[in-house]
Amino acid sequence: CLPHYVGRFLALGQGARRFHVAAALDAKAKVAMSHFEPNSYINYDKLRSNIDIVRKRLNRPLTLSEKIVYGHLDDPAGQEIVRGRTYLRLRPDRVAMQDATAQMAMLQFISSGLPKVAVPSTIHCDHLIEAQIGGAQDLQRAKEVNHEVYNFLASAGAKYGVGFWKPGSGIIHQIILENYAYPGVMLIGTDSHTPNGGGLGCICIGVGGADAVDVMAGIPWELKCPNVIGVKLTGTLAGWTSPKDVILKVAGILTVKGGTGAIVEYHGPGVDSISCTGMATICNMGAEIGATTSVFPFNHRMKTYLEKTGRGEIAALVNENQDLLVPDSGCHYDQIIEINLSELKPHINGPFTPDLAHPVSDIGSVAEKNGWPLDVKVGLIGSCTNSSYEDMGRAASLAKQALDKGLKCKAQFTVTPGSEQIRATIERDGYAKVLRDVGGVVLANACGPCIGQWDRHDVKKGEKNTIVTSFNRNFTARNDANPATHAFVTSPEIVTALAIAGTLKFNPETDFLTAPNGEKFKLVPPTGDELPARDFDPGQDTYQHPPADGLGLKVDVNPQSNRLQLLEPFDKWNGNNLEDLRVLIKVKGKCTTDHISAAGPWLKFRGHLDNISNNLLIGAVNIENDAVNKIRNLLTGEFGGVPDVARHYKKHNVSWVVVGDENYGEGSSREHAALEPRHLGGRAIIVKSFARIHETNLKKQGLLPLTFSNPADYDKICPDDKISIVGLKSLAPGKPLKAVIKHSDGSSETIELNHTFNETQIEWFQAGSALNRMKELQK
């Protein structure tokens, strides 16, 4: 719900405004209100107090993101605050976990020995439903195939006080927006697109499961004090241009790592022309530029959305405190980008990376020039980025125009509702029927093809083809496991238009379609209601609230299971330097978390560390031979798969390192990309630069994430080298380490490696993991 420091403030100061959420419930008519914890309070007075303390200390105006972040400091009076340098100790209000990452998060929480979560937390079943036939059939199959996992998550939630959203509820980020997001809240979620909540004025940050465990355990959560990038919006969205085009444009400007270490804060007069769910779209895809999160200031669009989702009383309370929820006049941004929405054109980004931006008007010629397939095989709308009522309505308005002229989609067309509430409402209002009639298949309320949960059969693996999606991410093989699929991300409106036309060469702003009777016609720019006129239809109730006392409940994990496995603690650091580490693989080029720990069919093993470790780095390119999942075993001289060689090294007590390129670990928040190398004997990851979440995840699991002091030193390491990391006995914040590279010809050279460990994180390394350290502190 809306728990500002729930359970931490036994008494509020005079004049504190309390709002007991339970009193506002109308569970039958307003499903969005029915899942607030009844003992939760909104406490803006404490938020205001913390902000006032920090503002007085810093003696300057604050950005909106600073207000919310610093307003959640554990010690606002004593915390050192320097953007981009110091680590902040924060008290987030709540935790959200999707089912694929929740398995490992809950297994770690169980290992902690704590009886109950300290902050309101929820689990959302959205990642394990594979798109095959259609919504109802796919959901039923998922319930059968994943019964063991769903039962584990439901029972663990009940025992430890975590709310459980059953399969079919919808995508985690849409559920959060409808139920838990609220201006001023700080929420962490075990999914990289958690920033979606910034569309409702929240600071929502994607993290790994170990970070979630810290917060659920009541431990202050650490975050490097973020820089703030300001995006000033002027003008007004109109015509074919949509909110998605804002972030597609920003991604083209900042690239996939330009937002690293920063919060992107949107402001300016153009903000008011964007719907609340449109703002969420923009914040959601901010993950693709590496941003810590993104946020919009409170305005009337957010107020209307709160009212329409059953939170009118809360909207009124926000209104009284809106000075906390907008930036101070004269505040400073570390970088400013200006976008005139009136001049912004529809964009489409890709293939293979979400920052390769093109105006839709250019994509046909660019595709021809580069030899990209022009025929659109499949158009896919929905996902956590674009599955709102407004998105579906605008897509349906285009489908209706085509149907009125006797046309259907030339490409295959799929539709993914964001939540049960969205599904039920678009069914009631006729949007779903229109989208089906034009050729669409309405899939389950789940992630589906966006994360690779797509049983695709229309092309063979290795066959070049083009798909267009309203998703957020389009890395190689991400959607369908086919490395030859050219995936482009764009708005639902453009996806629908291109699916109708069947080609990338179609520009809906200027080009004509041909009806079956030979009539030429143009599509009129899409329209759609921001929110339903008749309120939302909540659909089926799919939420399980935890009992008041779950101590007597039991959580079973079958030792013979191939889906779930209780965790064993990692070994502690032995106090010595790491000597003669083998190079498991020297990675060439982009290496995302999809390359390190693939999703798709591997999602079924997210609760079983040993089994999922069989996908370690199978998508990474080996610089030695430009091949994937083919590396030299330096003990035998033979080539083998990456996990197989790693297991062989582990069996023979040979520790190893991975060497990588820029922005290593970009993409998903999945901590399996850190757990797997640790489990199979890895000790360090040495790269040119890291993505934020992955670097933290590696630290949490007792690995050393290190960067070349001189990026050119990447070229000095050969795949058959041995590497010793020295200086670990004096490991300290800001103090580089040395690496001695021993070449196979007997020569050696020494390079400098940087790290970002603080004192607390060094204790994680020494203890073997953050979880080990937590247990030490309980003794």
Side-chain angles (χ1 to χ4, degrees):
C1 60
L2 311 170
H4 284 280
Y5 311 100
V6 174
R8 299 192 179 281
F9 307 109
L10 300 179
L12 300 176
Q14 187 173 5
R17 182 71 182 273
R18 289 191 179 190
F19 181 75
H20 198 303
V21 179
L25 295 183
D26 178 1
K28 190 72 175 176
K30 305 296 185 185
V31 70
M33 290 291 294
S34 63
H35 307 304
F36 295 163
E37 289 77 3
N39 65 336
S40 298
Y41 300 89
I42 302 165
N43 185 353
Y44 271 119
D45 283 4
K46 187 64 181 179
L47 190 68
R48 185 180 298 278
S49 173
N50 284 1
I51 291 170
D52 287 345
I53 291 169
V54 173
R55 187 189 283 113
K56 184 176 180 180
R57 287 181 55 205
L58 299 181
N59 193 30
R60 62 171 174 80
L62 301 178
T63 67
L64 168 60
S65 48
E66 287 182 309
K67 287 182 179 182
I68 303 175
V69 172
Y70 303 163
H72 285 80
L73 285 170
D74 184 51
D75 179 15
Q79 171 73 61
E80 184 182 7
I81 301 171
V82 182
R83 283 189 196 172
R85 190 170 70 80
T86 59
Y87 280 88
L88 307 178
R89 290 167 63 81
L90 300 163
R91 293 285 186 178
D93 297 310
R94 71 175 303 120
V95 173
M97 299 167 281
Q98 42 95 337
D99 51 354
T101 50
Q103 296 170 62
M104 197 59 68
M106 291 308 296
L107 286 166
Q108 290 178 86
F109 188 82
I110 291 169
S111 296
S112 75
L114 296 170
K116 191 173 183 179
V117 296
V119 301
S121 304
T122 47
I123 294 168
H124 303 259
C125 295
D126 61 0
H127 269 57
L128 301 180
I129 302 169
E130 185 181 48
Q132 285 187 327
I133 303 168
Q137 301 97 316
D138 294 345
L139 177 59
Q140 182 56 40
R141 179 175 180 273
K143 289 178 178 178
E144 295 168 1
V145 171
N146 302 306
H147 173 75
E148 180 184 11
V149 171
Y150 292 148
N151 182 64
F152 165 73
L153 294 174
S155 59
K159 181 173 180 62
Y160 296 104
V162 179
F164 180 69
W165 288 85
K166 302 172 187 177
S169 301
I171 305 172
I172 178 173
H173 311 303
Q174 183 68 27
I175 297 293
I176 290 171
L177 201 71
E178 293 172 356
N179 292 273
Y180 304 123
Y182 178 79
V185 162
M186 173 174 275
L187 177 149
I188 67 165
T190 60
D191 189 278
S192 58
H193 294 107
T194 301
N196 189 81
L200 201 41
C202 314
I203 291 295
C204 298
I205 301 175
V207 299
D211 277 344
V213 171
D214 280 355
V215 177
M216 291 191 293
I219 297 172
W221 174 60
E222 288 195 338
L223 175 71
K224 196 168 192 178
C225 187
N227 292 315
V228 187
I229 298 172
V231 179
K232 183 178 181 180
L233 302 179
T234 59
T236 304
L237 283 179
W240 284 90
T241 307
S242 75
K244 185 67 162 283
D245 296 306
V246 176
I247 186 57
L248 294 174
K249 178 70 173 180
V250 170
I253 295 169
L254 288 177
T255 77
V256 290
K257 62 177 183 176
T260 303
I263 293 177
V264 179
E265 184 171 313
Y266 294 86
H267 63 283
V271 167
D272 286 341
S273 74
I274 305 173
S275 67
C276 178
T277 52
M279 290 187 262
T281 291
I282 294 167
C283 292
N284 177 293
M285 197 174 162
E288 307 331 314
I289 57 175
T292 300
T293 192
S294 302
V295 67
F296 276 83
F298 176 68
N299 67 0
H300 72 280
R301 301 276 194 162
M302 296 183 190
K303 182 174 182 291
T304 301
Y305 185 80
L306 286 169
E307 291 167 346
K308 276 288 188 179
T309 50
R311 294 173 282 178
E313 295 88 349
I314 300 170
L317 183 57
V318 177
N319 229 30
E320 294 177 14
N321 291 277
Q322 59 183 297
D323 61 303
L324 301 178
L325 306 170
V326 296
D328 288 341
S329 177
C331 65
H332 170 71
Y333 295 103
D334 297 286
Q335 178 182 351
I336 292 183
I337 297 169
E338 295 195 24
I339 297 176
N340 185 336
L341 300 179
S342 299
E343 298 175 356
L344 183 64
K345 289 293 186 179
H347 274 62
I348 183 168
N349 289 21
F352 306 121
T353 184
D355 59 351
L356 185 57
H358 322 273
V360 171
S361 57
D362 295 344
I363 189 61
S365 59
V366 172
E368 280 187 314
K369 180 181 177 181
N370 286 281
W372 302 334
L374 291 172
D375 289 347
V376 175
K377 290 289 188 181
V378 191
L380 305 98
I381 66 170
S383 85
C384 64
T385 317
N386 277 114
S387 56
S388 68
Y389 184 81
E390 181 182 38
D391 289 328
M392 296 299 169
R394 285 170 65 88
S397 75
L398 297 173
K400 182 68 164 58
Q401 292 179 54
L403 288 169
D404 288 346
K405 296 293 184 179
L407 278 184
K408 290 191 175 184
C409 291
K410 289 186 178 179
Q412 294 183 44
F413 187 48
T414 69
V415 180
T416 305
S419 68
E420 170 62 8
Q421 180 165 276
I422 294 295
R423 183 209 61 78
T425 307
I426 66 172
E427 287 285 1
R428 180 197 69 191
D429 293 352
Y431 292 167
K433 182 179 188 306
V434 170
L435 294 169
R436 286 192 190 94
D437 289 348
V438 84
V441 175
V442 178
L443 301 174
N445 314 322
C447 301
C450 182
I451 60 163
Q453 285 283 49
W454 184 15
D455 187 22
R456 187 182 182 193
H457 295 291
D458 62 296
V459 296
K460 296 179 181 178
K461 190 168 183 177
E463 180 182 343
K464 285 179 65 174
N465 73 101
T466 285
I467 64 173
V468 291
T469 82
S470 69
F471 304 163
N472 42 43
R473 200 167 277 165
N474 59 344
F475 301 140
T476 302
R478 174 176 172 85
N479 302 124
D480 62 358
N482 181 4
T485 292
H486 292 56
F488 296 85
V489 291
T490 184
S491 67
E493 300 92 314
I494 296 298
V495 172
T496 305
L498 295 181
I500 292 168
T503 176
L504 288 179
K505 293 194 73 174
F506 179 69
N507 176 9
E509 290 190 295
T510 59
D511 295 347
F512 288 80
L513 294 168
T514 303
N517 64 2
E519 177 190 355
K520 303 282 187 182
F521 71 99
K522 281 177 64 177
L523 291 171
V524 175
T527 58
D529 291 337
E530 179 178 342
L531 294 163
R534 290 193 285 161
D535 293 333
F536 283 105
D537 181 340
Q540 300 178 39
D541 187 358
T542 53
Y543 176 71
Q544 171 188 296
H545 195 73
D549 183 2
L551 288 177
L553 301 178
K554 190 176 181 182
V555 180
D556 287 324
V557 177
N558 185 344
Q560 307 304 316
S561 172
N562 72 345
R563 297 289 300 271
L564 298 165
Q565 179 187 46
L566 293 174
L567 297 174
E568 295 292 332
F570 291 130
D571 60 308
K572 293 181 64 171
W573 174 55
N574 63 11
N576 300 316
N577 292 325
L578 298 176
E579 300 283 356
D580 292 336
L581 303 173
R582 287 291 190 179
V583 177
L584 178 68
I585 180 173
K586 183 177 179 181
V587 177
K588 177 181 178 182
K590 185 186 283 283
C591 190
T592 72
T593 48
D594 281 305
H595 295 89
I596 303 167
S597 177
W602 292 95
L603 285 169
K604 68 172 69 77
F605 298 123
R606 285 280 180 89
H608 196 295
L609 179 54
D610 193 58
N611 282 346
I612 198 161
S613 294
N614 289 323
N615 76 358
L616 175 65
L617 286 159
I618 61 175
V621 177
N622 179 11
I623 200 169
E624 184 176 6
N625 53 15
D626 281 338
V628 296
N629 201 28
K630 187 178 181 181
I631 61 172
R632 189 186 302 275
N633 184 326
L634 296 169
L635 299 184
T636 66
E638 300 175 353
F639 280 88
V642 180
D644 300 324
V645 175
R647 288 187 185 278
H648 189 262
Y649 288 170
K650 181 180 180 180
K651 181 179 179 181
H652 291 85
N653 297 313
V654 174
S655 297
W656 48 263
V657 301
V658 170
V659 178
D661 213 314
E662 295 279 6
N663 208 29
Y664 184 90
E666 70 173 282
S668 164
S669 69
R670 66 193 70 155
E671 65 182 335
H672 301 78
L675 283 160
E676 292 175 34
R678 183 74 163 96
H679 176 63
L680 294 185
R683 290 296 177 180
I685 311 293
I686 306 171
V687 301
K688 294 180 181 178
S689 65
F690 283 103
R692 175 189 64 85
I693 300 176
H694 186 60
E695 182 181 22
T696 300
N697 286 345
L698 291 168
K699 293 177 183 178
K700 287 278 186 178
Q701 303 307 332
L703 283 152
L704 289 170
L706 305 171
T707 56
F708 295 104
S709 179
N710 178 3
D713 288 345
Y714 168 89
D715 297 321
K716 293 181 179 179
I717 298 177
C718 300
D720 59 352
D721 287 341
K722 293 181 180 179
I723 297 176
S724 295
I725 299 173
V726 299
L728 290 175
K729 291 183 179 180
S730 58
L731 179 63
K735 183 180 179 181
L737 296 169
K738 299 288 185 183
V740 180
I741 306 169
K742 301 175 183 179
H743 301 301
S744 58
D745 62 4
S747 64
S748 66
E749 51 190 316
T750 301
I751 63 173
E752 187 175 82
L753 299 175
N754 295 328
H755 66 84
T756 61
F757 281 91
N758 62 23
E759 293 287 358
T760 300
Q761 294 167 346
I762 290 171
E763 292 174 355
W764 299 345
F765 168 71
Q766 293 169 340
S769 71
L771 187 59
N772 287 358
R773 181 57 180 156
M774 183 192 298
K775 291 180 179 178
E776 288 178 355
L777 294 173
Q778 291 175 24
K779 294 176 181 177

